[in-house]
Amino acid sequence: MTAPSPAPRAARAAGGAAEERAHPGTIAAGKFSFWYGAKQALHEIDLVIPARAVTALIGPSGCGKSTFLRSINRMNDTVVGTRHSGVITLDGENIYDRGSDATALRQRVGMVFQRWNPFPKSIYDNVAYGPRINGRLSRSELDALVESSLRRAALWDEVRDRLRQSALGLSGGQQQRLCIARALANEPEVLLLDEPASALDPIATQKVEELLYELKRELTVVIVTHNLQQAARVSDRTAFFFMGKLVEADTTERMFTSPREERTDAYITGRFG
């Protein structure tokens, strides 16, 4: 086969760079491994997570999917005795470079956990917390940002008349969407969610899933879920992890209808896991 000429290759590279600038939030892992002390949790993960899409990470408990998710914004840095090899890049920059600022990274890569964790503050102060720490905004600018974040989290209409009331008085589903609004207030490029609906009732789960569909229009969404039906409903791409390794990744439609690997098919059809 004749090698492509330098000009088309350069054009493709320029086009890819332009697309990345237009749509920030592309994540790529290259030979990424991770250890908790002597225990290796991830083995040479190679995975590209595209911008402006929902990518679901699936697999049985203990397979490494949450470890990988937390590695994307370096939450695992807070765990004593951890180490890694390989790279994870965000928009082409290695987030583990020696000069990389983990705090600045977490502003760009927000995270929402399995169990909602609003601060014991008002609804307003929960959303305003990050922007107040990260920069100087006028009161009117902060008010506008809080409203915008709550609207993006599909919560504004439910709380607009009680912004000064405690966030702890909200229902579980509302508290989870408040945590999403709190993450969105930092205007991230990426939103990571670790089992965000596992403790919610079906109605609240549906609201969170509808929210993810809307959010992918403006940022990259990565969700860990044990619920295969949820992964099929909300994601554009799916990655299957097993025993710390990435078995395969593809479009969600293909993964759920014609996976390439027997282990993927066995997990999706319920023969194990």
Side-chain angles (χ1 to χ4, degrees), residues 89-134:
T89 64
L90 174 60
D91 299 332
E93 298 180 2
N94 183 9
I95 67 172
Y96 284 94
D97 273 346
R98 184 168 297 179
S100 178
D101 184 340
T103 300
L105 172 69
R106 291 173 194 143
Q107 294 175 29
R108 299 173 64 194
V109 184
M111 186 156 186
V112 177
F113 298 94
Q114 178 178 5
R115 185 69 184 180
W116 47 89
N117 59 342
F119 302 139
K121 300 174 179 289
S122 71
I123 294 168
Y124 183 99
D125 288 338
N126 264 269
V127 181
Y129 184 82
R132 279 175 171 157
I133 290 177
N134 297 328

Side-chain angles (χ1 to χ4, degrees), residues 46-195:
D46 288 311
L47 179 64
V48 175
I49 297 174
R52 302 301 189 270
V54 178
T55 297
L57 309 182
I58 65 171
S61 296
C63 68
K65 55 190 185 296
S66 290
T67 294
F68 180 71
L69 188 81
R70 292 168 63 90
S71 296
I72 295 173
N73 74 343
R74 293 179 54 178
M75 286 295 295
N76 288 323
D77 286 10
T78 62
V79 180
V80 176
T82 60
R83 61 187 177 93
H84 76 278
S85 65
V87 300
I88 295 179
T89 64
L90 174 60
D91 299 332
E93 298 180 2
N94 183 9
I95 67 172
Y96 284 94
D97 273 346
R98 184 168 297 179
S100 178
D101 184 340
T103 300
L105 172 69
R106 291 173 194 143
Q107 294 175 29
R108 299 173 64 194
V109 184
M111 186 156 186
V112 177
F113 298 94
Q114 178 178 5
R115 185 69 184 180
W116 47 89
N117 59 342
F119 302 139
K121 300 174 179 289
S122 71
I123 294 168
Y124 183 99
D125 288 338
N126 264 269
V127 181
Y129 184 82
R132 279 175 171 157
I133 290 177
N134 297 328
R136 295 180 179 179
L137 296 176
S138 68
R139 179 57 182 269
S140 62
E141 289 172 330
L142 193 58
D143 288 347
L145 181 59
V146 168
E147 178 178 345
S148 172
S149 300
L150 288 168
R151 286 188 182 279
R152 292 169 71 195
L155 190 57
W156 172 254
D157 290 340
E158 299 171 41
V159 302
R160 60 187 302 173
D161 297 325
R162 45 179 173 152
L163 295 178
R164 299 300 173 181
Q165 296 179 18
S166 172
L168 302 182
L170 298 175
S171 69
Q174 289 173 325
Q175 288 187 37
Q176 188 65 298
R177 281 181 285 147
L178 178 64
C179 292
I180 293 173
R182 188 174 64 194
L184 294 176
N186 289 319
E187 300 183 336
E189 299 171 28
V190 178
L191 183 63
L192 310 176
L193 304 106
D194 193 355
E195 295 277 358

Side-chain angles (χ1 to χ4, degrees), residues 208-252:
V208 170
E209 291 180 1
E210 291 172 349
L211 173 59
L212 299 185
Y213 182 81
E214 294 298 323
L215 289 176
K216 75 176 183 179
R217 299 179 182 180
E218 52 188 286
L219 45 76
T220 304
V221 178
V222 188
I223 178 173
V224 164
T225 180
H226 280 99
N227 187 327
L228 296 180
Q229 290 77 20
Q230 182 176 74
R233 286 192 301 265
V234 305
S235 67
D236 302 289
R237 296 186 63 82
T238 297
F240 172 53
F241 284 70
F242 183 63
M243 297 184 69
K245 298 179 180 179
L246 176 63
V247 177
E248 67 174 306
D250 210 324
T251 64
T252 296

